[in-house]
Amino acid sequence: MRFDHPSVLCRELALGELDVALVSSFEYLRHPVYSVVDGVAIASNGAVYSVVLAHPGALEDLHEVIVDPASETSVNLLRCLLSKRGCFPRFVASGALSATRGQLFIGDQAIRFREQVDERIEILDLGADWKAQTGLPFVYALWLVRPGYPDRENLAQALRAIAHANLVNLNPLLAEQPESRRAFCEFYFRDCLRFSFAKEEKQGFQEFAKQCATQKLLPSVPPPPALI
């Protein structure tokens, strides 16, 4: 699952070609013109498993980190986390893992990497590190509704109803997975991911906004989102 590769969806949302989209939470921070569907998100309250920094050497020795620049939420989260540790590596688009070069892995790529990783390579789980640093959940993606959409309340209610139904039906969905993957899917969807946007998630989201502004990733802290 890839949470935050927002370029196509964000462009279509900005152009009015989409009324609503589940996109990178940083997209709202960068363009706080959207309404946000209350109550639903993709988040974690601790280890997320699928957003990780792999580093063969010590974190303080990192000179570079390989990233996908389109994954803005995770890239900017990593900037914030490393800066709190006094680490300021250059972010680059390509290269090989080395004692001074790490790599950010996201989604399925991160899951596959963790299944095959050499035990000599250290893994920093960004969700776990955020929780350790702030005591708060981290929000990776939100439902954003374009300005001027005329039926926002009914749309938001429908999305919350779908989210609730999906969680209620999680057991049969997990039972359909191949037996070899069932235990992992159970762990991932129940223990790693969190699908609410409640008080704690909102606090975590606002803390991310503050840290992004401190790191000059935003010109200022945007206002709390308009919720529907």
Side-chain angles (χ1 to χ4, degrees):
M1 180 181 294
R2 187 67 178 260
F3 298 149
D4 59 347
H5 202 299
S7 54
V8 174
L9 289 178
C10 290
R11 184 178 70 248
E12 292 177 349
L13 193 62
L15 292 173
E17 296 172 1
L18 289 175
D19 295 321
V20 60
L22 180 66
V23 297
S24 159
S25 60
F26 188 77
E27 177 64 15
Y28 172 82
L29 298 179
R30 184 175 54 184
H31 298 301
V33 298
Y34 301 103
S35 298
V36 175
V37 176
D38 198 8
V40 290
I42 296 178
S44 69
N45 190 29
V48 68
Y49 197 87
S50 56
V51 184
V52 300
L53 171 66
H55 55 104
L59 281 174
E60 56 267 25
D61 293 333
L62 283 179
H63 294 167
E64 294 182 338
V65 175
I66 306 159
V67 300
D68 178 349
S71 300
E72 290 181 288
T73 295
S74 297
V75 170
N76 290 330
L77 171 59
L78 181 58
R79 288 187 189 277
C80 294
L81 294 174
L82 290 179
S83 70
K84 292 288 188 179
R85 294 169 173 267
C87 300
F88 302 94
R90 293 192 306 121
F91 283 20
V92 298
S94 62
L97 286 172
S98 71
T100 59
R101 185 186 296 118
Q103 183 166 355
L104 179 63
F105 291 96
I106 301 168
D108 291 340
Q109 185 187 38
I111 293 170
R112 289 193 297 269
F113 181 83
R114 294 190 72 158
E115 290 174 344
Q116 303 165 3
V117 65
D118 188 309
E119 62 182 13
R120 292 170 295 182
I121 296 178
E122 297 289 333
I123 296 291
L124 180 72
D125 185 300
L126 272 60
D129 202 47
W130 174 262
K131 177 71 173 182
Q133 289 194 23
T134 68
L136 295 167
F138 187 81
V139 178
Y140 302 90
L142 291 166
W143 284 103
L144 303 186
V145 182
R146 68 169 174 83
Y149 182 73
D151 198 17
R152 298 180 303 164
E153 288 75 14
N154 285 334
L155 175 62
Q157 290 177 10
L159 289 170
R160 283 190 288 271
I162 292 169
H164 176 72
N166 286 341
L167 289 174
V168 168
N169 293 322
L170 188 56
N171 279 338
L173 290 173
L174 292 172
E176 294 175 1
Q177 299 301 311
E179 188 173 351
S180 61
R181 300 295 295 170
R182 199 171 300 154
F184 172 77
C185 290
E186 178 89 16
F187 157 74
Y188 184 57
F189 285 100
R190 293 198 184 280
D191 297 340
C192 298
L193 298 183
R194 188 161 166 160
F195 300 99
S196 59
F197 190 53
K199 180 179 179 179
E200 285 190 328
E201 287 81 17
K202 290 166 186 171
Q203 290 173 339
F205 184 54
Q206 284 303 112
E207 177 62 25
F208 181 49
K210 292 175 185 176
Q211 292 199 22
C212 285
T214 298
Q215 296 299 318
K216 308 300 183 186
L217 303 170
L218 297 169
S220 62
V221 180
L227 301 173
I228 52 175

